[in-house]
Amino acid sequence: MIEAKDIAAFYGKKQILFGTSLRVSEGERVLLVGPNGAGKSTFLKVVTGLLQPYNGQVLFNGQNITSLPTEKRIHSGIGYLLQSENIVPGITVDENLTLGGYPLTGKILSERKHEVLEIFDFLKDKLSARAGYLSGGERQALAIGMVLMKHPQVLLLDEPSAGLSPKAASQILKHIERAQELMGIKAICMVEHNLKFALPWASQIIILVGGRVVKTSDTPNMYITKIEELEKIFFHGNE
Amino acid sequence: MTLLLQLLHNALVNAAIYSLLAVGFGLVYRSMRFFHIAFGAVYIVSTYMVIAATVNFGLPLPPSIAIGLLIASVTGWIMDRTVYFPLENAGATPGVLFIASLGIYILFVNLIALLFGNEVKILLKGIEPSFSIGSLIFTRMQFIQFAVGWIVVLFFWIGIRKNTLIKGIWAMGETPVLVRVLGLPYKRMRTVVFTLSSALAGTASILTALDVGIDPHVGMQALLTGAVAVIVGGVDVFWGWIGGALILAVLQSIAVWQFSARWNDLITFGILIATLLLRPQGLFSPKKRREER
């Protein structure tokens, strides 16, 4: 589905990704983890075209999309949840969903909204509320709902549990699983710091450190017993 | 009482023009978050193109107005594509865009002064016919300004409510990255912002010039009127911009009545400073959660 080959990327003069290669295949739930500054979010930005790589290629369904603008990548089937500023606070919940569905109109737009609200049914009563007034969990649900409006084939999630209580975070994960079932999302790649929350969900774990992939495993469950060890490395370095 | 009603009527006519300026300026300021000073340049370009079409090419006024508006819109779009957009892509801050915009403004004012001269140009010669309703007197041009101004504002408001692309433009100022990752056509939205903003500046300029004429230096006054209305009303509320324009027009009318038109600038900037000190988010902005600030 999505394959990144030898990606080198910079912010200004600072290199973040050093020849990073990874693949998200159909049917996979990939968990991308690593310490702060490892390049996880940068990697997602390169895949979605928000950041142009200095070197390397991004392939989606076998096609080279490296030079495509973000807008075209999104319309080709990539859904991307930003870590922050992922809803428009100044407009209503309903208007946010309409924006997520762009360029859908009329009956199709209404049907998509209906589908999304089936997953996040607690938003049904808040359609005319200003999105900025929603609680943290509701905001994150709306943000995911906006991404789902286009029925993406692949979902890239940048810390969906950020700022949420453990209960709200686990609910969000359940909603994501339900969306995958109902909407036929073929693969998900999630960047997440909260390993306790995300490891049981994943089918593959990729560990990124210093802009390089240091470990890829198809048995993420074996890391459940090593969460504290991993978190120590992520938050305090490999001392 | 009659005098007060007449002043209120004049204020509503002025508010129609101020609203056009506020919507034109606010559109760029809200969606791009930088101070588009060259808005004042587009303002004068439109009317001077009407003058060129009527005087130099002998065209009748209606097609000349259409030409003036078209050239103003294209000018705004070219400013974005040749200056703002490349600068933004290179990582320019709003401060850099502000300076660039000031440069464009000065360039255009000097070019217009060089080509057309510094003196006031009149578009319509002769005395305007006037009408009266009861004790209220209004001129034909005031009626046109009132009708055109408020109809355009109403259409724009409907556009914000109904058109997804305009909703996207509204969202662009709050969450510029989100707009891209939702697959909204960022470049096309910029085109709409700059052409529409310039068309609104052009409409206000031509409507004003048909009444009192124009000189190359009035663009700055128009820009500041639009900017003050937007900031006083609240950058994030469309009706706030219109409210700001109305407050400005009414207070200026009262100042004219009580003192003299010479004090209009004092009123304009007095309201601006008072708002910034006492309610910096604007008079009509809703309360925001802390996370939104």
Side-chain angles (χ1 to χ4, degrees), chain A:
Chain A
M1 293 227 71
I2 288 185
E3 192 176 0
K5 292 181 181 170
D6 296 324
I7 301 292
F10 290 78
Y11 277 131
K13 286 182 180 172
K14 191 179 178 195
Q15 187 163 5
I16 308 292
L17 296 174
F18 296 83
T20 313
S21 297
L22 59 88
R23 179 203 291 259
V24 180
S25 305
E26 192 166 337
E28 281 184 341
R29 291 171 173 184
V30 175
L31 179 62
L32 190 57
V33 296
N36 283 335
K40 308 178 296 291
S41 298
T42 306
F43 176 77
L44 296 188
K45 282 180 184 161
V46 169
V47 171
T48 50
L50 288 176
L51 184 68
Q52 268 303 311
Y54 175 74
N55 188 37
Q57 280 189 336
V58 180
L59 306 176
F60 179 53
N61 288 335
Q63 288 203 319
N64 187 349
I65 58 166
T66 319
S67 55
L68 278 188
T70 302
E71 174 196 341
K72 290 201 172 154
R73 297 186 200 204
I74 299 299
H75 288 291
S76 70
I78 298 174
Y80 178 32
L81 175 77
L82 288 167
Q83 193 183 110
S84 58
E85 297 196 353
N86 48 22
I87 60 160
V88 187
I91 60 175
T92 66
V93 170
D94 188 52
E95 288 170 332
N96 269 281
L97 290 174
T98 303
L99 279 186
Y102 180 86
L104 301 175
T105 52
K107 204 178 159 196
I108 303 174
L109 178 67
S110 305
E111 282 172 5
R112 288 285 170 87
K113 281 184 188 174
H114 184 73
E115 282 177 35
V116 167
L117 292 171
E118 282 302 302
I119 299 167
F120 303 106
D121 55 351
F122 50 90
L123 290 177
K124 276 182 187 168
D125 298 337
K126 309 213 164 174
L127 283 176
S128 53
R130 194 172 171 271
Y133 291 151
L134 297 180
S135 69
E138 289 168 340
R139 285 162 78 106
Q140 203 66 328
L142 174 61
I144 296 169
M146 288 163 76
V147 177
L148 295 176
M149 285 292 292
K150 282 197 183 64
H151 275 192
Q153 294 177 41
V154 177
L155 205 50
L156 307 175
L157 305 168
D158 197 351
E159 296 211 38
S161 77
L164 299 184
S165 66
K167 193 182 167 196
S170 79
Q171 274 173 348
I172 283 288
L173 200 59
K174 278 182 193 155
H175 290 310
I176 291 168
E177 282 174 342
R178 181 136 186 260
Q180 190 175 13
E181 259 173 50
L182 290 177
M183 295 185 170
I185 296 163
K186 292 176 182 165
I188 301 180
C189 176
M190 185 195 288
V191 167
E192 186 55 64
H193 266 122
N194 188 342
L195 297 178
K196 279 178 201 143
F197 147 81
L199 266 175
W201 165 87
S203 66
Q204 191 186 33
I205 180 168
I206 297 173
I207 303 176
L208 204 64
V209 178
R212 293 179 176 87
V213 175
V214 295
K215 184 87 182 166
T216 302
S217 170
D218 291 331
T219 52
N221 280 337
M222 66 178 264
Y223 288 92
I224 288 176
T225 52
K226 298 178 182 174
I227 285 177
E228 280 181 20
E229 205 176 307
L230 281 174
E231 283 181 343
K232 205 171 164 187
I233 295 172
F234 292 168
F235 298 123
H236 305 290
N238 201 354
E239 294 149 355

Side-chain angles (χ1 to χ4, degrees), chain B residues 122 124-129:
Chain B
I122 302 294
L124 282 182
K125 294 191 170 73
I127 296 168
E128 271 291 297

